[in-house]
Amino acid sequence: MKLKVHGCRGSVPVNSDKQRKYGGNTSCFEITFGTYQIFFDTGTGFRTAKFGGPEIIKIILYSHWHHDHIQGLPFNPNIFDPNEEILVSSALSPSHVSRQILRQYFSGSFFPVDFIDGLDNFRIHEFDYIKERFKHDFELDHVPLRHPGGASGYRIKIKDKIICYLCDNEFDNLQISELKNFVEGANVVIWDGMFTDSELLEKKGWGHSSISQGVFLHKKHSVEKLLITHHTPDRTDDELDHINSQLPEGVELAYDGMICKI
């Protein structure tokens, strides 16, 4: 199984000489195993993601519908290939609501091309349908996250390997028990560490967690690797390098192009 980071920047994409190392694309993570290719969100990092071919089952799981998690969708030419069936779902909303949101976002008022209803290969399903249909090949679960407008975290288990995606969550002590059960034994947890603790004091209610809260989660629970993502747009490579150098073993910052073999 392989995890690839296509985008790990939060809120808006950035393009600066001081932000090359960790990248400027917004949220998109890819898991590949067997005949499956699963994407968490389609931020701008999704634009250059390569599809595995018609024989590979492609699934997109959306954590929520904020622009930095969906804006890259129409810029990947693979989705317009009628031979590439793409299954789309979100535990946050029923399929008809998911379709309505995507249709509205990618329509004349906000986007020049209204394409959602025109793609026969782009199929939006209920989360429980995806979970049930593929249960013999992998286990899929979700957890509600604390974020304005709501968000969902995901847990995928393939045989004895576990990956958790917890992006856009404002950590609260009331979540400790639920998150413990969700991440226990995970090989990789992708964690929203947009802010430092001092920044978090000024940004209550913004729907994001701190880096040290991720370290706390890693320390308290049996998690092999914790990847910090959703880096704030103005954080430079030098600043991220400094943060990375102070992280304990098993915790590191995600960067565009990063590959983890699990």
Side-chain angles (χ1 to χ4, degrees), residues 235-249:
R235 193 93 70 209
T236 66
D237 287 339
D238 287 345
E239 291 169 332
L240 288 169
D241 277 343
H242 178 69
I243 291 170
N244 212 20
S245 69
Q246 297 182 318
L247 295 176
E249 185 178 356

Side-chain angles (χ1 to χ4, degrees), residues 66-79:
H66 287 170
H67 69 98
D68 52 330
H69 291 256
I70 67 175
Q71 60 193 169
L73 178 64
F75 296 99
N76 188 317
N78 295 281
I79 70 166

Side-chain angles (χ1 to χ4, degrees):
M1 180 166 54
K2 184 174 73 175
L3 167 66
K4 183 170 184 178
V5 180
H6 292 287
C8 56
R9 191 68 65 164
S11 299
V12 294
V14 295
N15 183 17
S16 164
D17 289 339
K18 295 181 179 181
Q19 295 166 315
R20 299 290 187 207
K21 181 176 178 180
Y22 292 88
N25 283 309
T26 58
S27 297
C28 181
F29 292 79
E30 174 192 352
I31 299 172
T32 52
F33 59 96
T35 58
Y36 291 94
Q37 187 173 23
I38 299 176
F39 293 94
F40 295 130
D41 293 329
T42 61
T44 57
F46 183 69
R47 180 178 63 86
T48 56
K50 306 299 183 184
F51 281 14
E55 72 281 3
I56 300 298
I57 299 169
K58 294 98 180 165
I59 302 172
I60 297 173
L61 296 173
Y62 281 108
S63 61
H64 65 305
W65 306 112
H66 287 170
H67 69 98
D68 52 330
H69 291 256
I70 67 175
Q71 60 193 169
L73 178 64
F75 296 99
N76 188 317
N78 295 281
I79 70 166
F80 298 100
D81 183 345
N83 297 313
E84 296 279 14
E85 182 184 45
I86 305 164
L87 307 178
V88 182
S89 188
S90 175
L92 182 62
S93 55
S95 59
H96 72 279
V97 174
S98 300
R99 176 175 290 278
Q100 179 182 351
I101 291 170
L102 288 172
R103 184 194 295 125
Q104 182 177 7
Y105 186 87
F106 297 110
S107 64
S109 297
F110 305 105
F111 191 77
V113 180
D114 184 358
F115 68 92
I116 294 296
D117 290 334
L119 296 178
D120 293 335
N121 59 313
F122 191 79
R123 300 175 182 178
I124 302 176
H125 294 284
E126 300 291 341
F127 177 78
D128 286 344
Y129 168 82
I130 298 292
K131 180 178 179 178
E132 181 68 18
R133 176 175 170 180
F134 300 109
K135 66 181 181 180
H136 297 297
D137 291 329
F138 61 90
E139 296 177 25
L140 178 62
D141 204 354
H142 73 96
V143 64
L145 302 178
R146 298 180 70 248
H147 192 68
S152 289
Y154 295 107
R155 182 180 189 267
I156 293 180
K157 182 177 182 181
I158 304 101
K159 297 182 179 178
D160 60 342
K161 304 295 184 180
I162 298 172
I163 295 177
C164 298
Y165 181 63
L166 302 175
C167 198
D168 288 54
N169 177 57
E170 188 162 352
F171 179 73
D172 185 274
N173 287 336
L174 295 175
Q175 293 180 305
I176 290 177
S177 177
E178 187 171 32
L179 290 183
K180 176 184 184 299
N181 295 331
F182 199 73
V183 306
E184 196 72 40
N187 297 89
V188 178
V189 172
I190 302 164
W191 175 264
D192 174 357
M194 187 171 190
F195 300 127
T196 63
D197 285 340
S198 59
E199 292 168 344
L200 196 60
L201 293 175
E202 302 175 355
K203 294 176 169 64
K204 291 289 186 182
W206 286 39
H208 299 284
S209 300
S210 73
I211 296 160
S212 66
Q213 287 172 333
V215 173
F216 168 80
L217 184 88
H218 178 264
K219 183 179 179 180
K220 292 284 289 184
H221 308 306
S222 179
V223 173
E224 184 177 329
K225 180 190 287 290
L226 186 120
L227 286 184
I228 305 292
T229 187
H230 214 274
H231 311 313
T232 190
D234 57 355
R235 193 93 70 209
T236 66
D237 287 339
D238 287 345
E239 291 169 332
L240 288 169
D241 277 343
H242 178 69
I243 291 170
N244 212 20
S245 69
Q246 297 182 318
L247 295 176
E249 185 178 356
V251 181
E252 58 184 302
L253 303 183
Y255 58 87
D256 288 9
M258 184 181 197
I259 294 176
C260 300
K261 293 184 179 180
I262 303 164

